[in-house]
Amino acid sequence: MLAFEEQVVSDLVEDPNGGLVVLSSGFPLASLAAALLLQLHLHPPPGDAAGGGCLLVLSAPDPLKARIRRRLQARLQVHDVPPDLPAQQRASLYASGAALFLSPRALAADLLTSRLHPSHVRALLLLSAHRSSDTSSDAFIARLLRQRHLLPVYAFSDRPHAMVAGFSKAERAMKSLYIRRLHLWPRFHVLAAADLERAPPDVVDVRVPLTPAMRGIQAAVLAAMDACLKELRRTNKVDVEDLTLDKGLFKSFDEIVRRQLDPIWHTLGRKTKQLVADLRTLRKLLDYLVRYDAVTYLKYLDTLRVSEGVRSVWILADSSHKIFELAKRRVYQVVRADGIKVSTDNKGTPTKKRKVVHNSTDKGKENENEGSTADKHSIQKVNADVGIVLLEVLEEAPKWKVLRELLQEIAEEQMKGDHENAQDEDESGIVLVTCKDERTCFQLQECISKDPHKVMREEWEKYLLGKAELHGLQKKNKKKSEQPKGFGILDGEVQMGPNESAGPVSISKLETNALLAAASELRNITKEADVKDGSNVSCTRRELVKGKAKGKSKKTTEKRQGSNRKNRSNGGNDNNQVTAVEAKGQSSKTDEHADIDASKVSTDEDFMLASTSGGASNYSSDFRGLANGKPLPPVQFHALDSDQHILDVWKPSNIIVYHPDITFVREIEVYKAENPSRKLKVYFLFYEDSTEVQKFESSIRRENEAFESLIRQKSLMMIPVDQDGHCIGPTLANEPEPLLCQNSITRKAGGKRAPEKEMQVIVDMREFMSSLPNVLHQKGIRIVPVTLEVGDYVLSPLICVERKSIADLFQSFASGRLYNQVETMTRYYKIPVLLIEFSQDKSFSFQSASEIGDDVSPTNIISKLSLLVLHFPRLRIVWSRSLHATAEIFVSLKTNQDEPDEKKAIRVGVPSEDGIVEDDVRAENYNTSAIEFFRRLPGVTDSNYRAIMDGCNSLAELSLLPLEELAGLMGSQKGARTLKEFLDAKCPTML
């Protein structure tokens, strides 16, 4: 352990109330929790009378549990207690006095049923203090433990920005957890900075320039975000200070905006709601631009074009067209057969005509001639007899080339180090590459083991096949075409009608036809390769590459000649464009290069070792541009989203941070401080002048501002304590007495008020996942946790409540579960209640008044509720604005009602051994399906069905009754004749 970690543990143990520790993101939370558990196990607090109580750890995710166990090793065993563990086994673990990982739901039920007594608990550890509030499960458990027994509560949080969200978040969390002291440990703390800077790692900052297309997309997305933010400011619904472009780069920006708009969400217009969704989409576009390859990014934009449609605000802006156009240009370009580039402007009425200047040195630049009409048909519309060529660009990510160069450099340094002096035993030689997600890890692994252009080629083939498959689905839904068989887009040729030869055809249609033709040829080549060799998978892939090269030479159509050129784009792929004429002259050379590439790929696949979850993966591949390809060092890839701490496991010598993340940077610092003698070199890959750099710097600045705010709050914080210095926590002592209690004093002149009877509510065990039992307990109501078959809450022998949140209400209506639940409540209780509970920070409305229609609609939630009430007239619906309002409603409903019986509530709805259900209000202890069928027979009404049921025991007996006896039971000769004729009627046959 580092010196500042020991100081954190010693500060915590000093206070008998415990404490709240807020750490900088990436600091060793698992190490601190393990050290504190070991300290409490070996040296119990002085006030611990039990001396052998258990240590409870709440809300620990699985990766954090594994790290804590790894830190403890064999010195202390921590047991995992799942929620579905039987109660007897949980009780035995409590009695053993061990350290336990628990879920709040099971622990709350065990404390309420006295299965675990608070005096048998030594300490409580909470590892997600930023989620604690007055109504959270952590606060509920802390209150249950501190009511009868004084024990320390230790809370940790490594999300400082979450501790300053809202009004006095840290102070309210401390009061709810009965904690007095707040310990702040930012990165700039004197002790932490001294430990981390004593032996820092060697850091190399590598800035990679963006390609012109990526820079243009980034500028267009930022312009669209700025426009959306300006529109949102005009609504005057959100605090202007929060609407900055810097804050819009983080996920928390969505939470900030929704937290302000949720209470008035039902009053907002459609445009304002769409602006909030558009900001989320644009932030993803910025993030994916530096994470995904060009083909995947274009595929994502295609899905956005379909899903967003005309609803979106940003997609109709001028900058959005630039995003789509540049994303296409990174993958392919549309070129005429005579070498003139075609603009793929998809706007309805183009205002600018663009023409390529081929004599210019920079072929990517365009001259905009607004008034020019001479080349109208050659630019925006093309004559159908002129061929269209799809020119593949397949721009590679600039970081790919830099990553391979860094690996080559590291391999050379390791070879020099081996020659000069023997490598240390501690040096593993592993190079760790960290990425944001697993998808990027797999793609980088293929880029290192194969040719990067081959990886792009595979993504491009998937894109084309996906386009063809989508087009095939669309054709199935339409009417069958009148084209003769053998022609069509998927056959690689477009048949033109007699009137279409001279007329102009839209660029988007020609572009789609070219894409589908390329997909058709690719599909044919794949089929040929599969027929040639289907025995070995690797052989099939080699033949696929060779088949492409040989198949292309046979094709003479101008549409596919441009695709034979494979551009090695390392950053400026817009300068590597070739015309179709140049592609013709180089087709034979391309075929030779394709054969060479196929042989190289086959040798690479033979020597490549696939990455596994175990040790390091060793890659040996040829890097294009280097003579006699050089071997690469052992490489391991790590996804930051997996939340696995792997530095202590792999012990790398070099780390390449492909996607910079502040949390992982701190983990590297702590790892190097714990191992000062180990050599470590860290490479940071940043896109220069990109939002990636801006986001990383903003995250550091935001964390520092959060700690500065917490330091100011700590100096002004007021935590209530009692005479002994113990934290009081939230209490109801200052709340006014209920009106009924005040009136009872004035009615009796000088009389003594009778002691109030303790209220109790029977709660289903599944309801402990919500916060309502916690709020009811705050109101002084005794909670009895049991497993109920009918309802969620039993308030009295007559009242049963089924609680539904808004999301659960919609799901229950969709699945039909709510109908069955209300039916069972109506059968067993006289007053069934459906409680619809809204969230306190959201609008108290399903929909705005303008959205409520006059007619009954099967998709409308109001119509569904109306039909439910009509079908069950005794059902009562209660609308609650928040959790606290629900508690007040429960108290008022229990007025003048008897307390519920726990044993009876458990037996409701559960049949006995004889199949008889007790306490059935409707007394229908027989076949309900037969009754529903019987009541639908002709002649049977609500007034006579009970008399008929008393006169016969089954439907079979009813069918044998004579007409006179049936008329006596039904009280009507006409009704008896109608029923008898129906029962005696012959069934129709097919003969």
Side-chain angles (χ1 to χ4, degrees), residues 683-696:
Y683 298 87
F684 286 96
L685 293 185
F686 285 102
Y687 279 118
E688 193 173 8
D689 298 330
S690 68
T691 54
E692 186 180 40
V693 180
Q694 185 181 355
K695 186 176 180 180
F696 183 75

PDB file of all heavy atoms in Angstrom, residues 683-696:
ATOM      1  N   TYR A 683       2.509   5.424 -23.963  1.00  0.00           N
ATOM      2  CA  TYR A 683       2.293   6.217 -25.178  1.00  0.00           C
ATOM      3  C   TYR A 683       0.825   6.629 -25.208  1.00  0.00           C
ATOM      4  O   TYR A 683      -0.074   5.795 -25.104  1.00  0.00           O
ATOM      5  CB  TYR A 683       2.617   5.390 -26.431  1.00  0.00           C
ATOM      6  CG  TYR A 683       4.043   4.920 -26.530  1.00  0.00           C
ATOM      7  CD1 TYR A 683       4.437   3.718 -25.940  1.00  0.00           C
ATOM      8  CD2 TYR A 683       4.999   5.653 -27.221  1.00  0.00           C
ATOM      9  CE1 TYR A 683       5.747   3.264 -26.032  1.00  0.00           C
ATOM     10  CE2 TYR A 683       6.316   5.210 -27.317  1.00  0.00           C
ATOM     11  CZ  TYR A 683       6.674   4.018 -26.721  1.00  0.00           C
ATOM     12  OH  TYR A 683       7.976   3.576 -26.813  1.00  0.00           O
ATOM     13  N   PHE A 684       0.588   7.923 -25.363  1.00  0.00           N
ATOM     14  CA  PHE A 684      -0.777   8.444 -25.505  1.00  0.00           C
ATOM     15  C   PHE A 684      -1.009   8.807 -26.964  1.00  0.00           C
ATOM     16  O   PHE A 684      -0.250   9.594 -27.552  1.00  0.00           O
ATOM     17  CB  PHE A 684      -0.989   9.680 -24.631  1.00  0.00           C
ATOM     18  CG  PHE A 684      -1.123   9.380 -23.181  1.00  0.00           C
ATOM     19  CD1 PHE A 684      -0.024   9.470 -22.331  1.00  0.00           C
ATOM     20  CD2 PHE A 684      -2.337   9.000 -22.646  1.00  0.00           C
ATOM     21  CE1 PHE A 684      -0.147   9.191 -20.993  1.00  0.00           C
ATOM     22  CE2 PHE A 684      -2.466   8.723 -21.303  1.00  0.00           C
ATOM     23  CZ  PHE A 684      -1.371   8.815 -20.472  1.00  0.00           C
ATOM     24  N   LEU A 685      -2.053   8.250 -27.566  1.00  0.00           N
ATOM     25  CA  LEU A 685      -2.413   8.545 -28.947  1.00  0.00           C
ATOM     26  C   LEU A 685      -3.605   9.494 -28.953  1.00  0.00           C
ATOM     27  O   LEU A 685      -4.706   9.123 -28.519  1.00  0.00           O
ATOM     28  CB  LEU A 685      -2.760   7.266 -29.708  1.00  0.00           C
ATOM     29  CG  LEU A 685      -1.613   6.281 -29.963  1.00  0.00           C
ATOM     30  CD1 LEU A 685      -2.098   5.125 -30.826  1.00  0.00           C
ATOM     31  CD2 LEU A 685      -0.438   6.954 -30.623  1.00  0.00           C
ATOM     32  N   PHE A 686      -3.375  10.716 -29.395  1.00  0.00           N
ATOM     33  CA  PHE A 686      -4.431  11.720 -29.498  1.00  0.00           C
ATOM     34  C   PHE A 686      -4.578  12.144 -30.954  1.00  0.00           C
ATOM     35  O   PHE A 686      -3.579  12.255 -31.678  1.00  0.00           O
ATOM     36  CB  PHE A 686      -4.101  12.973 -28.663  1.00  0.00           C
ATOM     37  CG  PHE A 686      -4.264  12.799 -27.193  1.00  0.00           C
ATOM     38  CD1 PHE A 686      -3.166  12.613 -26.372  1.00  0.00           C
ATOM     39  CD2 PHE A 686      -5.516  12.847 -26.613  1.00  0.00           C
ATOM     40  CE1 PHE A 686      -3.309  12.475 -25.013  1.00  0.00           C
ATOM     41  CE2 PHE A 686      -5.669  12.712 -25.246  1.00  0.00           C
ATOM     42  CZ  PHE A 686      -4.572  12.518 -24.446  1.00  0.00           C
ATOM     43  N   TYR A 687      -5.818  12.382 -31.350  1.00  0.00           N
ATOM     44  CA  TYR A 687      -6.047  13.061 -32.614  1.00  0.00           C
ATOM     45  C   TYR A 687      -5.872  14.565 -32.383  1.00  0.00           C
ATOM     46  O   TYR A 687      -6.536  15.140 -31.527  1.00  0.00           O
ATOM     47  CB  TYR A 687      -7.450  12.775 -33.148  1.00  0.00           C
ATOM     48  CG  TYR A 687      -7.571  11.452 -33.858  1.00  0.00           C
ATOM     49  CD1 TYR A 687      -8.417  10.454 -33.379  1.00  0.00           C
ATOM     50  CD2 TYR A 687      -6.852  11.200 -35.014  1.00  0.00           C
ATOM     51  CE1 TYR A 687      -8.535   9.240 -34.031  1.00  0.00           C
ATOM     52  CE2 TYR A 687      -6.966   9.986 -35.676  1.00  0.00           C
ATOM     53  CZ  TYR A 687      -7.803   9.011 -35.180  1.00  0.00           C
ATOM     54  OH  TYR A 687      -7.907   7.806 -35.831  1.00  0.00           O
ATOM     55  N   GLU A 688      -4.980  15.161 -33.145  1.00  0.00           N
ATOM     56  CA  GLU A 688      -4.648  16.563 -32.932  1.00  0.00           C
ATOM     57  C   GLU A 688      -5.837  17.450 -33.294  1.00  0.00           C
ATOM     58  O   GLU A 688      -6.518  17.231 -34.299  1.00  0.00           O
ATOM     59  CB  GLU A 688      -3.425  16.935 -33.780  1.00  0.00           C
ATOM     60  CG  GLU A 688      -2.805  18.265 -33.395  1.00  0.00           C
ATOM     61  CD  GLU A 688      -1.493  18.507 -34.136  1.00  0.00           C
ATOM     62  OE1 GLU A 688      -1.177  17.716 -35.044  1.00  0.00           O
ATOM     63  OE2 GLU A 688      -0.807  19.466 -33.799  1.00  0.00           O
ATOM     64  N   ASP A 689      -6.075  18.462 -32.448  1.00  0.00           N
ATOM     65  CA  ASP A 689      -7.156  19.432 -32.663  1.00  0.00           C
ATOM     66  C   ASP A 689      -8.509  18.731 -32.821  1.00  0.00           C
ATOM     67  O   ASP A 689      -9.326  19.086 -33.687  1.00  0.00           O
ATOM     68  CB  ASP A 689      -6.877  20.293 -33.899  1.00  0.00           C
ATOM     69  CG  ASP A 689      -5.605  21.108 -33.749  1.00  0.00           C
ATOM     70  OD1 ASP A 689      -5.273  21.466 -32.606  1.00  0.00           O
ATOM     71  OD2 ASP A 689      -4.939  21.364 -34.771  1.00  0.00           O
ATOM     72  N   SER A 690      -8.746  17.734 -32.003  1.00  0.00           N
ATOM     73  CA  SER A 690     -10.000  16.986 -32.081  1.00  0.00           C
ATOM     74  C   SER A 690     -10.760  17.108 -30.771  1.00  0.00           C
ATOM     75  O   SER A 690     -10.230  17.570 -29.750  1.00  0.00           O
ATOM     76  CB  SER A 690      -9.734  15.502 -32.381  1.00  0.00           C
ATOM     77  OG  SER A 690      -9.104  14.887 -31.279  1.00  0.00           O
ATOM     78  N   THR A 691     -12.026  16.687 -30.812  1.00  0.00           N
ATOM     79  CA  THR A 691     -12.826  16.680 -29.585  1.00  0.00           C
ATOM     80  C   THR A 691     -12.322  15.629 -28.597  1.00  0.00           C
ATOM     81  O   THR A 691     -12.671  15.691 -27.422  1.00  0.00           O
ATOM     82  CB  THR A 691     -14.287  16.392 -29.927  1.00  0.00           C
ATOM     83  OG1 THR A 691     -14.367  15.171 -30.682  1.00  0.00           O
ATOM     84  CG2 THR A 691     -14.884  17.517 -30.741  1.00  0.00           C
ATOM     85  N   GLU A 692     -11.521  14.673 -29.069  1.00  0.00           N
ATOM     86  CA  GLU A 692     -10.940  13.682 -28.165  1.00  0.00           C
ATOM     87  C   GLU A 692     -10.025  14.355 -27.147  1.00  0.00           C
ATOM     88  O   GLU A 692     -10.091  14.071 -25.947  1.00  0.00           O
ATOM     89  CB  GLU A 692     -10.176  12.648 -28.983  1.00  0.00           C
ATOM     90  CG  GLU A 692      -9.646  11.469 -28.192  1.00  0.00           C
ATOM     91  CD  GLU A 692      -8.903  10.476 -29.061  1.00  0.00           C
ATOM     92  OE1 GLU A 692      -8.160  10.916 -29.954  1.00  0.00           O
ATOM     93  OE2 GLU A 692      -9.074   9.264 -28.840  1.00  0.00           O
ATOM     94  N   VAL A 693      -9.171  15.270 -27.618  1.00  0.00           N
ATOM     95  CA  VAL A 693      -8.296  16.022 -26.714  1.00  0.00           C
ATOM     96  C   VAL A 693      -9.126  16.930 -25.820  1.00  0.00           C
ATOM     97  O   VAL A 693      -8.894  17.025 -24.605  1.00  0.00           O
ATOM     98  CB  VAL A 693      -7.279  16.843 -27.530  1.00  0.00           C
ATOM     99  CG1 VAL A 693      -6.351  17.625 -26.612  1.00  0.00           C
ATOM    100  CG2 VAL A 693      -6.477  15.940 -28.451  1.00  0.00           C
ATOM    101  N   GLN A 694     -10.111  17.584 -26.408  1.00  0.00           N
ATOM    102  CA  GLN A 694     -10.949  18.503 -25.641  1.00  0.00           C
ATOM    103  C   GLN A 694     -11.709  17.773 -24.538  1.00  0.00           C
ATOM    104  O   GLN A 694     -11.823  18.275 -23.413  1.00  0.00           O
ATOM    105  CB  GLN A 694     -11.915  19.208 -26.591  1.00  0.00           C
ATOM    106  CG  GLN A 694     -12.774  20.278 -25.933  1.00  0.00           C
ATOM    107  CD  GLN A 694     -13.721  20.917 -26.923  1.00  0.00           C
ATOM    108  OE1 GLN A 694     -13.666  20.614 -28.126  1.00  0.00           O
ATOM    109  NE2 GLN A 694     -14.594  21.786 -26.453  1.00  0.00           N
ATOM    110  N   LYS A 695     -12.207  16.593 -24.847  1.00  0.00           N
ATOM    111  CA  LYS A 695     -12.962  15.828 -23.852  1.00  0.00           C
ATOM    112  C   LYS A 695     -12.057  15.360 -22.724  1.00  0.00           C
ATOM    113  O   LYS A 695     -12.442  15.391 -21.543  1.00  0.00           O
ATOM    114  CB  LYS A 695     -13.630  14.634 -24.532  1.00  0.00           C
ATOM    115  CG  LYS A 695     -14.557  13.849 -23.646  1.00  0.00           C
ATOM    116  CD  LYS A 695     -15.244  12.751 -24.431  1.00  0.00           C
ATOM    117  CE  LYS A 695     -16.183  11.940 -23.546  1.00  0.00           C
ATOM    118  NZ  LYS A 695     -16.862  10.856 -24.311  1.00  0.00           N
ATOM    119  N   PHE A 696     -10.837  14.924 -23.050  1.00  0.00           N
ATOM    120  CA  PHE A 696      -9.909  14.462 -22.012  1.00  0.00           C
ATOM    121  C   PHE A 696      -9.513  15.609 -21.087  1.00  0.00           C
ATOM    122  O   PHE A 696      -9.507  15.457 -19.860  1.00  0.00           O
ATOM    123  CB  PHE A 696      -8.673  13.848 -22.675  1.00  0.00           C
ATOM    124  CG  PHE A 696      -7.675  13.280 -21.710  1.00  0.00           C
ATOM    125  CD1 PHE A 696      -7.907  12.083 -21.060  1.00  0.00           C
ATOM    126  CD2 PHE A 696      -6.502  13.959 -21.437  1.00  0.00           C
ATOM    127  CE1 PHE A 696      -6.999  11.565 -20.164  1.00  0.00           C
ATOM    128  CE2 PHE A 696      -5.574  13.450 -20.535  1.00  0.00           C
ATOM    129  CZ  PHE A 696      -5.824  12.247 -19.900  1.00  0.00           C
TER     130      PHE A 696
END
